[in-house]
Amino acid sequence: MGHIDKGKLLFTGGVFLALALYPLVAESYGIDLVTKIMIYAILALSLELLVGSTGLVCFGQAAFFGIGAYAAVLLSPESEAAGWWWLLPASVAAAALYALFVGALSLRTKGVYFIMVTLAFAQMAYYVVHDTPLGGGTDGIYLYFKPGLDTLVDLGNPYILYFFTLVFLVWTFVFLAILLRSHFGRVLAGIRINEQRMQASGFSTYPFKLAAFVTSGGIAGLAGFLFAVQDGFVNPEMMSWHLSGALLVMIILGGLGHLHGALIGAFVFVFLQELFKSEAVFGDFAKHWHLGLGLTIIACVALLPRGLVGLPEMLHQRLFGFSQRAKGKANGKLPDNTATEEAV
Amino acid sequence: MDFSIFLIQCLNALQYGLLLYLVAMGLTLIFGIMGVINLAHGSFYMVGAYMAFALAPLVGGNFFATLLVGVALAAVLGYLLEWAFFSFLYEREHLQQVLMTYGLILVFEELRSLLVGDDVYGVTPPDFLAGSIALGDVMTYPVYRLFVSAVCLLLALGMYLVFTRTRLGMMIRAGSVNREMVQSLGIDIQFLYRVVFAAGVAIAAFAGMVAAPISSVYPGMGNQVLIICFVVVVIGGIGSIRGAFFAALLIGLVDTFGKVLLPQASGVLVYVLMALILLWKPNGLFKAAG
Amino acid sequence: MKLFRATVLAAAVLCATSAHADDKPLKVGLMLPATGTYATLGSAIENGFKLYVDENGGKLGGRDVEYVKVDDESDPAKATDNVNKLIKGDKVDVLVGTVHSGVAAAMAKTAKDTGTLLVVPNAGADAITGPLCAPNIFRTSFTNWQPGYAMGEVMAEKGYKKVVTITWKYAAGDESVNGFKEAFEKKGGEVVKQLSLPFPNVEFQALLTEIAATKPDAVYTFFAGAGAVKFVKDYKAAGLMGSIPLYGAGFLTDGTLKAQGGAGEGLMTTLHYADELDVPKDKTFRAAYSKAYDAQPDVYAVQGYDAAQVLKIGLDAVKGDVSKTAEIAAAVEAAEIDSPRGKFTFSKAHNPVQDIYLREAKGEKNPEVSVASKALADPAKGCRM
C-alpha cells in the first residue's frame, strides 16, 4: 500500500459523514436529489477509473449505465418485487458483459479513434433500445415493483434507498482506491503515463486495459441499476452521448486522476445546474440557464487547469505566495501526476 | 428495385455524401489538421444557417451577397475565438478542449435563443437555382441540391490544392506535425493557427448558409450534425482531407441504401460501419497526409 | 456546497406549510420545455394557460394562482427528478405538463402514484389516457391516434385505394399511422407500404424515391416542427406534390407554413383545431391572446388555455381543495369545456372527445374546410377506469 494523503482521507471521510447525516435535516425532495447525485457520482467514479487512472478516454460510458438500468427493468418479474440480491449482480453482469465485448474490440484502437469507437458502440446500444421492440421503444419502460428483500431492504422507501446507495458509493470508492494502489493499479498508471514503456518492460498491456474496461462497465451498470430502482422508469436517452459527454465534463471539472475529483465533479455539476435553473436566483432569465452553465464551465477550464481538486492548492499559492510543490519537493514527496497527454 | 430507381438512389447517396463532406469540412481542418477537438463545430454550422436567415433582409435579399458577408463575419468570429479562447488550449490536454468546447455549445445555443428566438425558419434559394430537373417520369430533382453538390466539389478541390500545392498548405501541415520545429524555422505559428482556425469556422458557417435552404434553420440543428461530422473525420482518418471525402461518400451510400433496404436498423448502420472500419484499419481509411 | 444546499433546504422546510388551506395560494407546477426544439410550444402553452387565469382574476377554485416553473428540456431521463422537484420540493398543488410524450409519461406515472392532479396540455402518447390513465389525470390536447383516424376516414371517402405512409419511427409517428391505418383499412383501403426513418433524422431523399417508385394513390404522413418543414419542401422539390397527393396530421402545416416558403400551399391535414373557425369563443380568444402577447395563438396555446379551464371547473366544484380527487374528476367528467376549438367533453379515460377538422393550407394559415370526424373518441386501449 502506498502513502495515503491525510488531507484527501479527511476530505473524503468528511463528505461521506456529511452524506450519512444529511437525512436528519433533509426533506423528501432533498433525499431524492442527493440519492440521484450519489448515483451520478458512482457513474463518474467508473469513468474516472478509465480516463483518469488508465488514460482511456471512453465516450460511451452511458451505454453501460443504460444496460444496467434496462437489465434491472427487463429482468424484473411483472407482478412482484424482485430480490435485489440477484437483480443487482445480474444488472452489473449484463453491463460488464457488454463492456467485455466493446473493450475486446475497441482496445485495438488508440487515442481519438478509441474515443470514437467507444462512442460508436454506445450509439449501437442506444439505437437497439430506441428503434427495436426489445427496449420498449422511444418512450421507455416502467418498473412497477421496486426490488427489495422483504421489508428489511424495501428499496421503494426513499430513505432506505438513500442509505443503500450511500453504502454502494462508499464501497465503490474504497474498492477503487484499493484497486488503484494495488499492483494492478500501478500497471494501469504505467499504461497511462507511457504504454510503450510498460510493454518494453514486459507487461502485456491489453489484458490489464480490458480488465479495467470491464470493471468500469460493471460499476456503471451498478449505477444504472440504482437509477432504475429510484426512477422506476428507463428510457433510451439514458444511453445518449449527451450523458457520456456530461460525465466527462464532471470528472474533468472535478479533476482527473483523483477519485475524489469524480465525487466533487458530480456534486458540483448537478449543483451548478440546479443553481442556474433556479428561478429564485435568476428570475425569468432562468430559462436561459444553459448560458450560465456554459460560461462557468469555460471559466473553470481557463482558471482551474487541474480541475476543482487543484483549487485549494491554487488558493494557497495565491494567498501565501509560496508553492506547496516546492515545500513538497523539499520533503521528498512528488505532486500527483494528472497528465493524460498521451491518452488522446 | 428497378435500375432507374437504383440510379436515382445512387444520386441521392452521392448528393447526401457531398453535403456531409461540406458540413464536415470545417471540422477536418480544425480537428483533423490542428488536432483540436472542437465540439462547437455544430454551433458554427448553426451560426452560418441563422446568418443566412438573418442577413438576407439586411443585404437586400441577394443570396450571394449574403454568403460573402456571412463568410467574412464567420471568419472574423473564428479569428477572435481562437485569440480569446483556443490559443490557450494547444498546450493543454485534449480533454480540456472537450470541456471548453462543450461549454461553448451551451453558450452559443442560448445566445441564439436570446437573439433570434426559438422558431423554425426557412430560407429560400435564389430564383435561378430554385427549379427542378426531371429524372425520367419518376420524380424531379431540385437544382439547388445539384448546386450544393457542385459547391462542395469545388471547395474540396480547392482545399486539396491549397494543402498539397501551396506553401501555406505545407506550413500548416508541418505545423500540425511539429509545432515547435516550424516555429524555430521562423514561421509565426500562432498567426498561422489563427488563420487556419478562422478558416475552419468560416467553412463550417459557409456550409450552414449553403445548406440552409435545404435543411431549414431550427434550434438544435448544430447538435444533430455534430456527431456525424466526427464520424466522417474519424472514418476517413484524422488529418486526411482525401479520407474525409471518401468517408462522407461512404456514409452517404450506407445511409441512403440502409433506409431503403434495412429500415429497422438504419439508425445504427453508420456506427456499425465506423466500428467495422476502425477494427479493420485502426487509424481510419487514409493516413494523415492530405 | 453540500452545507449550503442543506441550509437552503432546511430553510425551505421551515417555510413550507402543510396542505389544506383554501385561502392559501394555489401552487401550479408548470413543467414545460424552455430550451430545445419544443421551446416555442412550451411558451405557447404557458401563455394560453396564463391568459385564462388572468381572465378569471388570477384565481382558480377561488384561490390565487402562484406559478412554479421547471424546464423539462424534453429529456425523459430527467423527467422523474423534475416532477419530484415540483411535487416534493416545491410542494405544488397541481401539475401541468408537458410537450414530449416520454416526459409526460413519467409525469403521469408519478402523478398516479402520488395522487397529484395532473393536466397534460400536449403530449399525445396514447398511453397517457391508456394504460397510464387515472382519475387525477386529464389531457386537454389529443391522442396521436385521433387526427390519424380522422384522416383515414377522409382519404377513404375521397376514393383512394392504395396509400403509402411515412413518418419517424417513434411512438407519436407509429400511433398516428396506426390510427390512420385503422380507419382507412376499415373503409376498404390498403396501406401498401409503411415507410419510416429514425427520429430525428431528416434525410428524406431515399424514401421519397421509394414513394415515387411505388406510385401510390396518395401519401399519409406525420411529421412536426423542423422535420415537417423540410419534408414538405423536399416532397415538392421531388416533383411529387402534383402527382401523388400528400395528406397528413395537422402538425405538418401548423406553424410551419411560413418556413416552408409556399411549398405547403393547398395541403390538407386533420387536427382538432383550425384557423377561421366559426366558433364565437375562438374569435374572442384570438383577440384576447393577440392583445396580451402580440402574437397569434396556435393549437398549443388553445390546449394550455383549456388546461386552465379544466382546473377551474374541477377546483370550483371542491372550493379549491385539491385533495378531493374523486369530486374533481366527477365535475370535469360531467362538464362541457367551452374551448376555442369548439365545445368538447371528456371520455372516461379523460381524453377530449372532440371534433377533428379537415383543413387546407392557404398562405400562412390552415382554415377549416369541414369537420372530418365529429366527436371522435379515442378507444383508450388498456385504460382500466
Side-chain angles (χ1 to χ4, degrees):
Chain A
M1 293 279 258
H3 168 85
I4 299 174
D5 185 339
K6 286 227 172 56
K8 273 201 248 179
L9 192 66
L10 268 172
F11 175 79
T12 316
V15 168
F16 290 140
L17 187 65
L19 286 173
L21 294 175
Y22 180 66
L24 293 175
V25 297
E27 49 163 55
S28 67
Y29 174 61
I31 298 285
D32 284 345
L33 180 66
V34 178
T35 307
K36 190 50 69 71
I37 298 180
M38 289 197 288
I39 293 174
Y40 281 128
I42 295 176
L43 193 51
L45 282 171
S46 77
L47 191 59
E48 168 62 33
L49 171 65
L50 280 184
V51 182
S53 307
T54 319
L56 291 169
V57 181
C58 172
F59 204 1
Q61 202 70 353
F64 310 123
F65 174 65
I67 286 177
Y70 267 85
V73 174
L74 289 170
L75 293 173
S76 288
E78 283 259 331
S79 47
E80 48 158 17
W84 69 265
W85 44 268
W86 64 263
L87 193 60
L88 192 156
S91 307
V92 171
L97 208 63
Y98 192 61
L100 180 65
F101 171 68
V102 175
L105 294 174
S106 47
L107 285 170
R108 293 184 40 173
T109 59
K110 287 195 176 23
V112 186
Y113 299 98
F114 176 75
I115 301 179
M116 296 305 285
V117 170
T118 53
L119 170 68
F121 281 107
Q123 289 291 95
M124 283 188 239
Y126 172 80
Y127 279 109
V128 166
V129 293
H130 190 267
D131 287 342
T132 66
L134 182 70
T138 55
D139 283 345
I141 32 183
Y142 291 98
L143 186 65
Y144 285 105
F145 290 92
K146 300 206 178 172
L149 181 64
D150 305 324
T151 51
L152 193 64
V153 191
D154 172 22
L155 294 177
N157 179 321
Y159 284 87
I160 294 184
L161 183 61
Y162 179 93
F163 283 106
F164 190 81
T165 308
L166 178 60
V167 162
F168 276 102
L169 176 62
V170 174
W171 180 87
T172 304
F173 191 93
V174 171
F175 170 73
L176 287 176
I178 295 176
L179 188 72
L180 290 174
R181 281 175 171 72
S182 70
H183 169 72
F184 179 77
R186 296 244 169 271
V187 175
L188 292 184
I191 292 173
R192 182 191 78 224
I193 296 173
N194 193 327
E195 187 173 353
Q196 273 187 316
R197 207 190 320 159
M198 288 304 287
Q199 286 173 323
S201 314
F203 283 98
S204 174
T205 55
Y206 180 82
F208 283 94
K209 290 197 286 188
L210 187 59
F213 202 83
V214 172
T215 310
S216 164
I219 297 176
L222 166 67
F225 169 84
L226 292 167
F227 187 97
V229 171
Q230 190 192 23
D231 262 17
F233 171 59
V234 292
N235 182 276
E237 297 309 310
M238 289 176 69
M239 299 200 201
S240 84
W241 66 269
H242 294 101
L243 179 61
S244 296
L247 286 174
L248 277 177
V249 170
M250 277 184 216
I251 62 173
I252 300 172
L253 196 63
L256 284 174
H258 305 265
L259 285 178
H260 62 288
L263 266 186
I264 296 176
F267 274 91
V268 170
F269 188 72
V270 177
F271 173 73
L272 279 178
Q273 285 198 313
E274 293 296 308
L275 174 68
F276 286 114
K277 279 202 224 187
S278 150
E279 283 202 320
V281 180
F282 287 97
D284 233 5
F285 194 75
K287 70 175 267 198
H288 296 289
W289 59 278
H290 278 152
L291 187 62
L293 186 64
L295 289 172
T296 308
I297 291 176
I298 293 176
C300 282
V301 177
L303 304 171
L304 297 172
R306 292 180 53 208
L308 289 166
V309 290
L311 191 60
E313 198 180 301
M314 261 183 65
L315 287 175
H316 201 263
Q317 255 183 296
R318 293 281 165 94
L319 292 173
F320 298 108
F322 63 85
S323 169
Q324 278 277 58
R325 272 176 234 234
K327 210 168 148 205
K329 279 216 181 92
N331 289 352
K333 283 187 289 186
L334 285 171
D336 269 46
N337 189 347
T338 56
T340 52
E341 202 78 33
E342 291 82 7
V344 181
Chain B
M1 194 188 300
D2 72 16
F3 193 63
S4 61
I5 298 296
F6 175 73
L7 282 182
I8 298 178
Q9 294 289 26
C10 286
L11 177 63
N12 289 333
L14 180 68
Q15 182 271 136
Y16 178 51
L18 287 175
L19 180 66
L20 261 186
Y21 184 60
L22 180 67
V23 175
M25 221 185 271
L27 192 64
T28 50
L29 260 184
I30 295 179
F31 178 43
I33 308 290
M34 291 171 70
V36 174
I37 299 182
N38 177 25
L39 293 180
H41 172 73
S43 300
F44 302 141
Y45 169 79
M46 173 192 74
V47 166
Y50 274 88
M51 277 206 287
F53 165 73
L55 286 178
L58 296 176
V59 184
N62 185 319
F63 186 68
F64 292 100
T66 315
L67 279 182
L68 272 170
V69 174
V71 168
L73 283 176
V76 169
L77 174 69
Y79 195 88
L80 289 173
L81 269 179
E82 204 278 349
W83 171 77
F85 292 111
F86 287 88
S87 49
F88 299 110
L89 292 182
Y90 301 130
E91 310 298 311
R92 305 246 201 111
E93 302 151 11
H94 282 241
L95 289 172
Q96 298 195 313
Q97 296 167 2
V98 167
L99 194 56
M100 167 86 105
T101 50
Y102 180 90
L104 271 181
I105 297 179
L106 296 175
V107 170
F108 273 111
E109 273 297 323
E110 280 309 317
L111 283 179
R112 186 264 317 141
S113 176
L114 281 166
L115 292 173
V116 199
D118 295 315
D119 285 311
V120 178
Y121 300 114
V123 174
T124 41
D127 283 330
F128 74 97
L129 288 174
S132 294
I133 299 181
L135 292 176
D137 64 342
V138 181
M139 56 193 290
T140 64
Y141 217 79
V143 171
Y144 192 75
R145 281 189 184 250
L146 298 172
F147 167 71
V148 171
S149 301
V151 164
C152 170
L153 281 170
L154 277 173
L155 199 57
L157 191 64
M159 265 222 327
Y160 184 74
L161 288 175
V162 166
F163 269 89
T164 53
R165 301 286 154 89
T166 66
R167 242 182 87 83
L168 175 68
M170 199 170 61
M171 286 195 280
I172 295 170
R173 281 186 293 142
S176 77
V177 173
N178 195 328
R179 194 182 153 95
E180 289 81 15
M181 185 63 86
V182 171
Q183 219 162 3
S184 61
L185 286 172
I187 295 171
D188 185 350
I189 194 81
Q190 254 192 336
F191 178 69
L192 196 62
Y193 267 23
R194 208 152 286 165
V195 164
V196 174
F197 193 86
V201 173
I203 293 177
F206 175 74
M209 280 188 279
V210 168
I214 301 180
S215 68
S216 318
V217 179
Y218 56 97
M221 64 187 297
N223 283 335
Q224 285 188 9
V225 299
L226 183 64
I227 285 289
I228 197 81
C229 286
F230 272 98
V231 172
V232 167
V233 175
V234 167
I235 289 182
I238 298 175
S240 168
I241 301 185
R242 194 178 10 155
F245 184 76
F246 287 110
L249 290 180
L250 195 56
I251 292 176
L253 269 172
V254 168
D255 189 78
T256 302
F257 284 98
K259 282 204 178 89
V260 177
L261 300 171
L262 287 169
Q264 281 276 52
S266 59
V268 78
L269 283 176
V270 174
Y271 296 99
V272 171
L273 174 72
M274 176 162 78
L276 287 174
I277 288 185
L278 288 180
L279 294 175
W280 168 47
K281 282 194 168 242
N283 285 320
L285 287 174
F286 290 87
K287 281 220 284 228
Chain C
M1 285 171 214
K2 287 154 281 297
L3 192 59
F4 173 68
R5 183 124 268 255
T7 317
V8 166
L9 286 166
V13 170
L14 292 171
C15 294
T17 50
S18 63
H20 219 51
D22 295 352
D23 51 341
K24 286 241 166 9
L26 183 77
K27 273 190 166 180
V28 174
L30 290 175
M31 186 158 145
L32 295 165
T35 52
T37 353
Y38 297 133
T40 39
L41 280 62
S43 65
I45 292 172
E46 190 179 334
N47 287 346
F49 189 93
K50 287 186 172 166
L51 180 66
Y52 186 86
V53 173
D54 291 341
E55 283 177 357
N56 283 276
K59 287 182 199 268
L60 287 175
R63 295 166 66 175
D64 287 321
V65 172
E66 197 182 292
Y67 297 104
V68 183
K69 294 201 287 192
V70 158
D71 174 11
D72 70 20
E73 298 172 71
S74 299
D75 187 353
K78 295 185 183 162
T80 316
D81 291 336
N82 284 326
V83 182
N84 280 333
K85 187 180 189 178
L86 285 173
I87 295 182
K88 298 188 194 171
D90 298 302
K91 297 220 181 354
V92 296
D93 297 305
V94 300
L95 271 176
V96 177
T98 177
V99 174
H100 187 284
S101 282
V103 178
M107 287 180 78
K109 180 163 187 293
T110 314
K112 207 170 169 179
D113 291 341
T114 58
T116 313
L117 187 57
L118 166 66
V119 184
V120 179
N122 187 69
D126 293 347
I128 293 175
T129 49
L132 283 173
C133 70
N136 55 315
I137 298 176
F138 284 90
R139 170 153 53 185
T140 55
S141 53
F142 58 98
T143 55
N144 295 318
W145 180 93
Q146 281 173 312
Y149 189 86
M151 187 50 100
E153 292 187 324
V154 167
M155 286 174 77
E157 271 153 41
K158 277 191 189 285
Y160 297 116
K161 289 280 172 244
K162 290 183 191 306
V163 162
V164 166
T165 63
I166 177 169
T167 181
W168 277 314
K169 187 135 196 57
Y170 72 148
D174 289 339
E175 289 172 359
S176 185
V177 164
N178 286 340
F180 168 80
K181 193 170 172 191
E182 193 180 322
F184 189 65
E185 292 190 337
K186 206 192 281 187
K187 295 211 167 178
E190 186 195 347
V191 175
V192 293
K193 243 193 199 158
Q194 286 182 259
L195 297 172
S196 67
L197 71 167
F199 176 77
N201 196 306
V202 288
E203 269 305 307
F204 303 114
Q205 283 301 119
L207 296 179
L208 289 173
T209 309
E210 271 294 287
I211 292 176
T214 314
K215 294 199 195 357
D217 297 331
V219 169
Y220 172 79
T221 181
F222 175 90
F223 284 112
V229 172
K230 187 164 195 285
F231 182 76
V232 170
K233 282 169 88 169
D234 284 352
Y235 197 87
K236 177 136 195 252
L240 297 173
M241 203 63 98
S243 49
I244 306 177
L246 177 67
Y247 296 84
F251 303 103
L252 193 67
T253 51
D254 236 58
T256 57
L257 287 168
K258 186 164 181 208
Q260 282 161 356
E265 186 71 14
L267 278 181
M268 303 196 80
T269 57
T270 47
L271 198 65
H272 50 293
Y273 189 59
D275 294 314
E276 292 165 23
L277 280 179
D278 196 13
V279 173
K281 180 78 182 177
D282 186 40
K283 299 189 170 54
T284 53
F285 168 73
R286 284 186 177 233
Y289 190 96
S290 44
K291 186 161 174 227
Y293 301 109
D294 200 21
Q296 277 299 310
D298 53 21
V299 61
Y300 307 106
V302 171
Q303 290 165 179
Y305 186 82
D306 289 340
Q309 210 179 139
V310 162
L311 283 175
K312 177 176 194 308
I313 292 173
L315 291 172
D316 275 351
V318 295
K319 294 202 182 26
D321 186 350
V322 291
S323 61
K324 299 204 174 123
T325 319
E327 287 94 335
I328 294 174
V332 178
E333 283 169 12
E336 191 181 42
I337 310 296
D338 187 18
S339 165
R341 73 186 91 170
K343 297 200 196 328
F344 72 86
T345 55
F346 282 102
S347 65
K348 275 207 75 55
H350 294 177
N351 195 62
V353 177
Q354 57 193 340
D355 293 343
I356 308 291
Y357 299 104
L358 180 64
R359 311 116 44 97
E360 186 178 348
K362 283 204 172 81
E364 286 180 24
K365 291 182 169 204
N366 286 290
E368 175 201 355
V369 168
S370 63
V371 174
S373 197
K374 196 128 190 66
L376 182 63
D378 176 87
K381 300 197 185 88
C383 177
R384 278 170 275 146
M385 266 218 299

